[in-house]
Amino acid sequence: MPKTAYVVEGYVPNGGTYMAYHVARILHIDFGYEVCVVTVGPGDDQGHTHGWFSYDPLFRSISLAACEDLARADDVLICNPSFSMHNLGLRLRCRKLMYVQGFNTFSLLDCCFNHYVAVSSFVRDFLSQTYGIHAPVIPAFIPESQFILHGDAVRNTVVTWETRPPFSVELNTKGDWAHQRLLLDRVRRDLKAKDRDLETIIDWDAAAERSRSRLPRDQFLDRVASARYLLTLSVAEGFGLVPLEAMGMGTVVLGFDGYGGREYMVPGQNCAVVPYPDVSGLVDGIIHAMRDPAFSQRIAASGVATASRYNYEAFRSAWVQELGFFLSR
């Protein structure tokens, strides 16, 4: 019988589970595994229809209970750390691989997996210092989109940075909205104290309302690609896919680095971010970027070059090598 790769909640519409789906896809295409998407909650075979990401091929979905019955010793489970509460390391007989793409999505990591891979150097160091787990780093990739710029080529759905509205801002919020709402209020107060005219020009309320809507991915990216700036208030990310996608669209990233974003963010070179909770520095970054368009244009161009390195082929190549190592153990 063919070996099977089981990927936990591979159709959940977020970046982490989408990356896990692609690890399973590599096992399918490059190593000949069959793939099943495991639902740990009330899921069904239509879980892929949310419109946020596209999936090719589509794999059948099974329940966690079915996975427990079917998984054999030479099968492989692929899981994100956010599902640690299910204790799959102890429950399943197969080989278990965790792609750790966060450090705040679980209260206690499932430490009974056979192998761990970290999405960023920050996550790698967190695993080492907290759990004594030593993991290689394989960064996430930017899913292909008509909005991503490639070198100097601008696709017809993307306007150049200088032709976008001068003070246009979109917000990236993730996680605790009440906390980020307070942060936004503090940013506005401090900005008003330092540059009252600039605070008044920016339509913060509309940006905040837009950030709370759940749009299909291309519609969301269309908004970001139409703005000069993305203000990311997400304070803790294992990697941070949205800011990197914004860079790929030539949008200047402001706000917090989210810790994991340090994998690709270089303040003053390809972004203007600060560590959390430096709100004062964040506000200074907004003022500098918006009052110095020449600086922001250089940042935008550098961000495109940075984002181009995080492509699918680099992701696939790294995972083919890592999976070959894992499967040979």
Side-chain angles (χ1 to χ4, degrees), residues 303-315:
V304 172
T306 296
S308 68
R309 299 197 299 267
Y310 295 87
N311 55 64
Y312 176 74
E313 282 308 314
F315 178 88

Side-chain angles (χ1 to χ4, degrees), residues 88-224:
L88 301 181
L90 293 173
R91 292 171 63 176
L92 297 179
R93 299 183 297 272
C94 61
R95 286 184 286 186
K96 293 162 283 283
L97 170 64
M98 185 176 288
Y99 190 15
V100 186
Q101 300 171 68
F103 57 91
N104 64 332
T105 58
F106 51 89
S107 57
L108 180 67
L109 185 74
D110 187 335
C111 294
C112 295
F113 273 53
N114 302 102
H115 191 52
Y116 299 80
V117 174
V119 75
S120 65
S121 299
F122 185 89
V123 170
R124 176 200 62 200
D125 295 344
F126 170 79
L127 291 174
S128 176
Q129 294 166 11
T130 307
Y131 295 102
I133 292 172
H134 303 290
V137 173
I138 300 180
F141 73 94
I142 298 179
E144 188 64 23
S145 168
Q146 68 265 37
F147 300 105
I148 304 301
L149 308 184
H150 295 270
D152 295 327
V154 180
R155 297 190 179 186
N156 57 14
T157 48
V158 180
V159 295
T160 59
W161 188 90
E162 61 273 14
T163 60
R164 303 177 194 185
F167 302 100
S168 51
V169 179
E170 293 296 331
L171 296 183
N172 175 43
T173 58
K174 181 180 177 181
D176 186 348
W177 168 243
H179 177 223
Q180 289 168 74
R181 176 80 251 189
L182 290 171
L183 284 171
L184 180 59
D185 291 344
R186 173 71 179 276
V187 166
R188 295 185 63 177
R189 288 198 305 270
D190 286 10
L191 181 58
K192 190 173 184 178
K194 293 182 176 183
D195 191 330
R196 186 183 185 90
D197 290 343
L198 184 57
E199 195 281 330
T200 302
I201 290 170
I202 300 168
D203 192 346
W204 294 107
D205 293 332
E209 183 176 350
R210 289 193 300 270
S211 75
R212 299 291 292 152
S213 61
R214 185 66 174 177
L215 297 174
R217 179 171 174 272
D218 279 354
Q219 291 183 36
F220 168 74
L221 294 181
D222 192 17
R223 282 202 328 238
V224 177

Side-chain angles (χ1 to χ4, degrees), residues 49-90:
T49 61
H50 47 70
W52 189 250
F53 296 114
S54 60
Y55 302 91
D56 180 23
L58 292 176
F59 301 118
R60 68 187 180 100
S61 297
I62 64 171
S63 67
L64 176 57
C67 178
E68 285 190 86
D69 289 338
L70 294 172
R72 306 184 309 273
D74 55 354
D75 291 335
V76 175
L77 178 82
I78 302 155
C79 187
N80 295 80
S82 55
F83 303 111
S84 289
M85 80 289 288
H86 297 288
N87 298 306
L88 301 181
L90 293 173

Side-chain angles (χ1 to χ4, degrees), residues 185-302:
D185 291 344
R186 173 71 179 276
V187 166
R188 295 185 63 177
R189 288 198 305 270
D190 286 10
L191 181 58
K192 190 173 184 178
K194 293 182 176 183
D195 191 330
R196 186 183 185 90
D197 290 343
L198 184 57
E199 195 281 330
T200 302
I201 290 170
I202 300 168
D203 192 346
W204 294 107
D205 293 332
E209 183 176 350
R210 289 193 300 270
S211 75
R212 299 291 292 152
S213 61
R214 185 66 174 177
L215 297 174
R217 179 171 174 272
D218 279 354
Q219 291 183 36
F220 168 74
L221 294 181
D222 192 17
R223 282 202 328 238
V224 177
S226 300
R228 283 192 173 186
Y229 307 96
L230 176 76
L231 177 61
T232 177
L233 296 176
S234 180
V235 300
E237 298 264 19
F239 184 75
L241 196 61
V242 168
L244 185 60
E245 289 183 293
M247 286 184 179
M249 294 179 282
T251 303
V252 175
V253 176
L254 311 170
F256 297 122
D257 62 23
Y259 301 103
R262 297 168 192 174
E263 189 71 19
Y264 58 87
M265 294 178 178
V266 184
Q269 294 187 28
N270 61 12
C271 61
V273 300
V274 297
Y276 174 76
D278 184 10
V279 174
S280 179
L282 186 159
V283 170
D284 290 342
I286 292 174
I287 295 171
H288 183 195
M290 294 192 180
R291 293 303 190 189
D292 188 350
F295 166 78
S296 288
Q297 274 192 279
R298 292 194 301 271
I299 292 291
S302 182

